[in-house]
Amino acid sequence: MANNQHPQLTGAEILWASLAGEGTTTVFGYPGGAILPIYDALRKFPTIHHVLVRHEQGASHMADGYARASGRVGVCMATSGPGATNLVTGLATAMLDSIPMIAITGQVSSKVLGSDAFQEVDITGITLPITKHNFLVTRAEDIAPAIREAFQIARSGRPGPVLIDITKDAQQATATYDFETAAPPVYRPHPMLHKQLHANSPSIKQALELILDAKKPVILAGHGIVESGAEKEVIAFAEALQIPIASTLLGLGAIPAAHPLQLGMMGMHGESWVNNAIQQADLLLAFGMRFDDRVTGNLASYSPNSQKIHIEIDPSEINKNVRVDVSLIGDLKQVLNILLPQLGAPSSPTAPSSAKVGSHDASPWLAEINKSKGTAAVRDIINLPDNGHLYAAHVIHDIWREAQAAGRLENTIIVTDVGQHQMWEAQYFKHESPRSLVTSGGLGTMGFALPAAIGAKAAQPHKDVWVIAGDGGFQMTASELSTIQQEGLAINIAVINNGFLGMVRQWQETFYDKNYSASPILSPDFVMLAAAHGIAGAHVSQRADVTPTVTQARTSGKPFLINFQVEKEDGVYPMITPGAALHEMVRRPVHDPLLETAEDE
């Protein structure tokens, strides 16, 4: 392209040129009639690799996993009608977890819009509640501006998915292409974000007073820490004042699990000492989290004696679920960089041995939490001897231990599905780095893991990527095994196979008098299924075989599936029942036959 010359391109070519201009190198998609002009033009753009999925839902989850693992915008595409509607679950998943993603859909010609033409559906109307924004493009000259603005919207402020629906005639028409002229309008943040915080802001001063006066503070570390890139600032803040840190599910990895101030996961299946600390706190510092119901338990009894400071980029989250005393609306990293100098935090912090919280010694509060932690850990299933039974918790713990022993922990990404195994992973795999856990939090999407792992591996090819999925969720998107094989991706797959929809079964056991209605599930031989796709695998039913097989999978350099046949009626504990307070946790029953068998032996 000459410097002073802007070429005439088809709308389809403009699309690919605009994606390349935004730095896109990988797109996940599935062709069809209304998007064929775009696929026809793909051959002219060799810098972009297209991954052919087996189902459009897989494309959306791959783009999601790509974004979570890399921090870049994920891109997926599908044709009109059913192709577009198959993206809906993935868009909703990304929306609830604030994932930057672009979905491009083909649409029938603008001349027949609204006529119920073949494979026509109002995808912008359907996705309005589950996208940050969406576009219907009917002219070739509007494609580049739509692409550029979509990327800006997806990654600015609170990230999220954006959908661009492009009619077939817009793809086929020609227009002048100029990437720079198509630049998006100046970003206009929410009006409340225009009120820039500074050292003398009243809310900053009020927050400092609460922080310096607190005797029992707790930091609530959410996904916003990772999205903001504020990991170092949060650690500096916590170390300067010796404030313990509790993590949400999506916040795991933002603060290393081995850090002495990291308590672990809070919430419905969080650690008992973490939830007790939150309930006993006199100050909660919510960093980039939204007080989801799985985190708070009964709102009426949530941390009743604490004052609350909420740092959040999305003003709509302030006081939505939990009333707070001070709200600091803005990017977390920027807000912490205002607070840190006024707290006397060093620029390169190391945890001081005699740190104080304000004028109060932090040691009693930390000692109180550690005592609670020690008591709760006594009956932890991971501490029990091998009694011949294989527990999912042991499998996940051994995957973590093998990665640690091999020196690969910092280069391992775990991608989970949704259910019991997801919670066991959060409890027993110790994440030491950001973006090392990819999981569906807000929507809880079964079938997420396998395609999301493809996206994660595409984004981080040098890292070890593990799928951890249940036998139920795995079957929802198992067709993507062929995508793994076609792409030659060395992805490791651990199927936690207990013959049930495990979390459904646990709820039926707890709340429905063990009426296991429609929760037992018949599965194929997963190793044979993998073999049918050209992927090697192994069955494991004994604890002694876990680590050697995990090592075999990790070092094979090829995709590998392990079917772990685990205890059928094991449960995830602790557990907070719906409507209960955060501290009213149900622990593993003392009469649990799994425990009694182990202790007897």
Side-chain angles (χ1 to χ4, degrees), residues 135-147:
F135 298 83
L136 172 59
V137 180
T138 59
R139 303 190 312 161
E141 54 264 41
D142 295 333
I143 291 176
I147 293 286

Side-chain angles (χ1 to χ4, degrees), residues 256-494:
H259 194 283
L261 292 172
Q262 171 65 281
L263 301 180
M265 186 175 72
M266 65 178 92
M268 176 173 278
H269 293 291
E271 307 291 0
S272 58
W273 60 86
V274 180
N275 290 340
N276 282 327
I278 292 170
Q279 290 297 81
Q280 294 163 14
D282 63 4
L283 177 67
L284 295 183
L285 295 134
F287 288 178
M289 54 87 72
R290 59 187 179 90
F291 292 108
D292 176 79
D293 62 290
R294 290 294 173 102
V295 159
T296 63
N298 189 323
L299 287 172
S301 54
Y302 178 67
S303 193
N305 300 316
S306 68
Q307 293 181 292
K308 299 170 182 71
I309 299 171
H310 195 179
I311 306 178
E312 171 62 49
I313 199 167
D314 183 356
S316 70
E317 292 294 345
I318 302 296
N319 295 323
K320 185 177 84 173
N321 297 324
V322 172
R323 299 290 301 179
V324 299
D325 299 277
V326 179
S327 60
L328 302 176
I329 300 172
D331 179 81
L332 177 62
K333 185 170 186 173
Q334 295 174 6
V335 173
L336 289 179
N337 280 326
I338 295 170
L339 290 171
L340 282 167
Q342 300 185 70
L343 294 169
S347 56
S348 299
T350 54
S353 58
S354 58
K356 296 180 181 299
V357 179
S359 59
H360 304 285
D361 185 359
S363 301
W365 175 226
L366 295 175
E368 182 181 339
I369 295 172
N370 285 332
K371 182 179 179 182
S372 172
K373 180 177 180 179
T375 302
V378 170
R379 297 186 65 78
D380 191 326
I381 192 171
I382 215 69
N383 295 323
L384 300 177
D386 183 358
N387 61 0
H389 299 261
L390 185 61
Y391 303 106
H394 286 148
V395 170
I396 290 163
H397 181 72
D398 288 352
I399 292 174
W400 166 75
R401 193 168 57 179
E402 196 274 348
Q404 185 183 50
R408 294 292 297 171
L409 194 56
E410 296 289 336
N411 286 298
T412 297
I413 298 174
I414 303 294
V415 188
T416 82
D417 223 86
V418 171
Q420 286 181 313
H421 67 275
Q422 179 189 34
M423 295 297 100
W424 279 315
E425 196 284 342
Q427 292 174 340
Y428 295 107
F429 194 102
K430 308 304 179 185
H431 291 273
E432 302 295 340
S433 55
R435 303 190 184 278
S436 61
L437 171 60
V438 172
T439 193
S440 170
L443 197 63
T445 305
M446 291 178 68
F448 173 81
L450 190 65
I454 294 171
K457 187 67 174 178
Q460 304 284 8
H462 64 288
K463 292 194 175 184
D464 298 334
V465 174
W466 276 93
V467 171
I468 296 181
D471 44 336
F474 181 75
Q475 292 186 69
M476 289 188 172
T477 52
S479 58
E480 301 302 343
L481 287 170
S482 275
T483 307
I484 291 175
Q485 185 68 346
Q486 183 168 342
E487 291 295 313
L489 300 174
I491 293 173
N492 309 305
I493 302 163

Side-chain angles (χ1 to χ4, degrees), residues 160-247:
V162 179
L163 179 134
I164 308 169
D165 195 33
I166 308 175
T167 61
K168 191 169 184 178
D169 53 331
Q171 301 169 39
Q172 294 169 321
T174 58
T176 301
Y177 173 66
D178 181 0
F179 185 74
E180 297 304 325
T181 302
V186 176
Y187 171 59
R188 298 178 63 187
H190 189 283
M192 293 183 74
L193 288 168
H194 282 302
K195 302 175 183 177
Q196 292 293 326
L197 292 168
H198 52 80
N200 293 319
S201 298
S203 54
I204 290 286
K205 290 185 176 181
Q206 188 181 358
L208 287 167
E209 289 177 6
L210 294 181
I211 293 165
L212 294 173
D213 193 45
K215 295 180 180 178
K216 294 185 174 184
V218 175
I219 292 170
L220 308 181
H223 186 217
I225 295 173
V226 177
E227 292 296 344
S228 175
E231 296 89 350
K232 291 181 180 178
E233 286 76 11
V234 173
I235 291 173
F237 186 96
E239 290 181 348
L241 300 172
Q242 287 293 278
I243 301 177
I245 302 166
S247 292

Side-chain angles (χ1 to χ4, degrees), residues 10 12-13 16 32-42 168 171-172:
T10 66
E13 292 168 340
W16 290 114
I35 202 169
L36 273 183
I38 287 173
Y39 274 87
D40 184 58
L42 174 60
K168 191 169 184 178
Q171 301 169 39
Q172 294 169 321

